[in-house]
Amino acid sequence: MTVIKPHGVTIKATAHYLPERVVTNADLEKIMDTSDEWIVQRTGVRARHFCAEGESTREMSFSVLKDLLRNANIKPDELDLFILATVGAHMTCPSTACQILGDLADDPEFGHTNAGAFDITVACSGFTYGLNMAHDLMASGQYRNIAVIGAEHLSQYVEMTTRGRGTAVIFGDGAGGAIVSRSDNHDHGILAQMMRSDGAKWGELYIPEKARDIPEQTHNDEMPLGLMRMNGRAIFKFAVGTFGDLIQQTLDKADLSPADVDHYICHQSNVRILEACRERFGIPQEKMPINIDRLGNTSAASVPILFDEQVKAGRIKPGQKVMFVAFGAGLTWTSSLWQL
Ligand code: UT7
């Protein structure tokens, strides 16, 4: 049976927010046993932004949401749904997404909305999972505008000491997002998408809250509760293979070759992982942009921040094909190939 799409789906607006505070590798050298040379060689990171006191997932996401509404020129009551992807929800209940809509209601420029709102926890894959969900909900014909934001306050989960250097040097804070909207052009929308996980590997990257959260066989049991534990080497190995396979499988689904895609907006995990992938497919550097040198790994925020930067720089244009690709804790991996 042929499925007739009621309409197309488009990305109507993008935005991002970075905390003002910049922490360079030289700053880290002063507080832990590490070096600029080690960090650049192993990760590609030169600097990252960290939240200031009082700044968090909620404040960063609120700023992005306001910019998205302004850029898309839509009023709060025209927003039907808000999906917030983060590992840094403020409370178990309610969702940070609902709190942010509360902030919007208190803001005289915006005001109240009854848009649906919820958080999703998919770590670095979160924004791309959210984009796929928003697209398919939109395709149901029952929504007009959905905001998807990826926001992370990861500096709160790392320890700024030599003991914590395995994660402290990699991660950064930030937020980015997009408004997914109905389009009159039926050709606009997702050509192929994937959302996958391997729950057997969750212990490779996690943030334990209680002692019972820590698996018996753990690679690093020295970090205090509430801080991130990561088996970097295992994730690196996993990522190099999975990232490439994910791109290939997504291209196969859409019956496209690597050169048919105009831009690959990839999760900024480690420049070595991205380079390996670029070389495997012969993708030119300008089609797979990198900003991990300036921002570090911002988890769910990395894909939407990079996308917004490329859109604002005029490099991504309507009519082009863009593949979003991410992997992260869970372990999870995901892609979303769009005809813009
Ligand atoms: O967003 C998705 C989630 N995470 C990732 O994508 C992370 C994937 N993994 C990675 O990017 C890399 O594994 C890391 C960058 C985390 C680590 O790089 P690596 O090449 O796998 O290093 P390693 O953990 O094998 O450590 C090599 C050496 C060790 O010393 P010895 O045992 O060889 O003497 C570490 O103690 O480097 C040492 N080391 C450091 N030295 C200076 C570890 N961290 C640091 C550091 N500065 N920050």
Side-chain angles (χ1 to χ4, degrees), residues 223-276:
M223 299 304 289
L225 293 174
L227 296 184
M228 193 189 303
R229 292 168 183 234
M230 180 174 82
N231 186 353
R233 213 175 284 188
I235 295 180
F236 189 92
K237 234 170 101 187
F238 160 84
V240 168
T242 306
F243 221 56
D245 293 348
L246 178 60
I247 291 179
Q248 187 60 59
Q249 288 158 8
T250 311
L251 289 169
D252 289 347
K253 276 189 171 200
D255 203 13
L256 294 174
S257 67
D260 294 328
V261 175
D262 298 292
H263 305 276
Y264 292 84
I265 301 297
C266 299
H267 169 48
Q268 303 291 293
S269 53
N270 181 316
V271 81
R272 290 187 290 150
I273 297 172
L274 296 170
E275 282 300 309

Side-chain angles (χ1 to χ4, degrees), residues 156-165 167 206-214 218 220-230:
Q156 66 180 323
Y157 301 123
V158 300
E159 191 176 77
M160 289 293 150
T161 62
T162 298
R163 180 173 70 170
R165 68 184 182 176
T167 49
Y206 67 108
I207 303 171
E209 282 165 20
K210 301 189 174 73
R212 64 151 200 237
D213 296 338
I214 300 167
T218 185
N220 174 5
D221 51 7
E222 290 168 28
M223 299 304 289
L225 293 174
L227 296 184
M228 193 189 303
R229 292 168 183 234
M230 180 174 82

Side-chain angles (χ1 to χ4, degrees), residues 34 38 42-43 124 165 170 230 232-233 267 270 272 297:
T34 191
W38 191 97
R42 304 282 179 135
T43 70
C124 309
R165 68 184 182 176
I170 302 168
M230 180 174 82
R233 213 175 284 188
H267 169 48
N270 181 316
R272 290 187 290 150
N297 176 343

Side-chain angles (χ1 to χ4, degrees), residues 17-243:
Y17 174 91
L18 291 167
E20 266 182 41
R21 186 176 158 218
V22 175
V23 177
T24 64
N25 291 349
D27 294 328
L28 296 181
E29 280 176 351
K30 288 178 202 146
I31 54 175
M32 62 184 76
D33 181 14
T34 191
S35 67
D36 176 57
E37 192 192 359
W38 191 97
I39 303 171
V40 172
Q41 263 182 16
R42 304 282 179 135
T43 70
V45 181
R46 293 176 186 277
R48 69 288 289 147
H49 292 246
F50 278 174
C51 285
E53 198 62 37
E55 205 172 22
S56 67
T57 306
R58 181 168 163 186
E59 287 76 27
M60 292 190 291
S61 308
F62 184 40
S63 170
V64 171
L65 182 61
K66 288 189 287 185
D67 280 345
L68 286 175
L69 295 175
R70 289 183 191 115
N71 296 349
N73 198 21
I74 59 175
K75 297 187 175 52
D77 64 3
E78 294 169 301
L79 184 70
D80 298 315
L81 192 63
F82 172 28
I83 303 172
L84 176 66
T86 185
V87 298
H90 284 225
M91 291 186 262
T92 306
C93 178
S95 69
T96 304
C98 278
Q99 289 188 291
I100 294 163
L101 291 190
D103 296 336
L104 199 68
D106 292 338
D107 189 306
E109 184 189 342
F110 294 95
H112 184 260
T113 171
N114 284 125
F118 57 91
D119 299 346
I120 57 171
T121 309
V122 207
C124 309
S125 303
F127 173 80
T128 308
Y129 261 61
L131 216 47
N132 286 332
M133 291 163 67
H135 174 277
D136 286 11
L137 285 168
M138 193 65 64
S140 75
Q142 302 192 37
Y143 299 85
R144 297 158 299 170
N145 300 297
I146 299 178
V148 185
I149 292 180
E152 301 290 14
H153 179 193
L154 296 175
S155 59
Q156 66 180 323
Y157 301 123
V158 300
E159 191 176 77
M160 289 293 150
T161 62
T162 298
R163 180 173 70 170
R165 68 184 182 176
T167 49
V169 304
I170 302 168
F171 294 102
D173 299 335
I179 297 277
V180 176
S181 299
R182 221 181 261 185
S183 161
D184 293 336
N185 187 334
H186 286 236
D187 294 335
H188 288 165
I190 288 181
L191 304 173
Q193 59 161 293
M194 291 179 69
M195 296 193 275
R196 312 292 289 163
S197 78
D198 182 354
K201 295 196 172 77
W202 71 262
E204 306 293 21
L205 176 47
Y206 67 108
I207 303 171
E209 282 165 20
K210 301 189 174 73
R212 64 151 200 237
D213 296 338
I214 300 167
E216 271 176 35
Q217 303 260 314
T218 185
H219 67 278
N220 174 5
D221 51 7
E222 290 168 28
M223 299 304 289
L225 293 174
L227 296 184
M228 193 189 303
R229 292 168 183 234
M230 180 174 82
N231 186 353
R233 213 175 284 188
I235 295 180
F236 189 92
K237 234 170 101 187
F238 160 84
V240 168
T242 306
F243 221 56

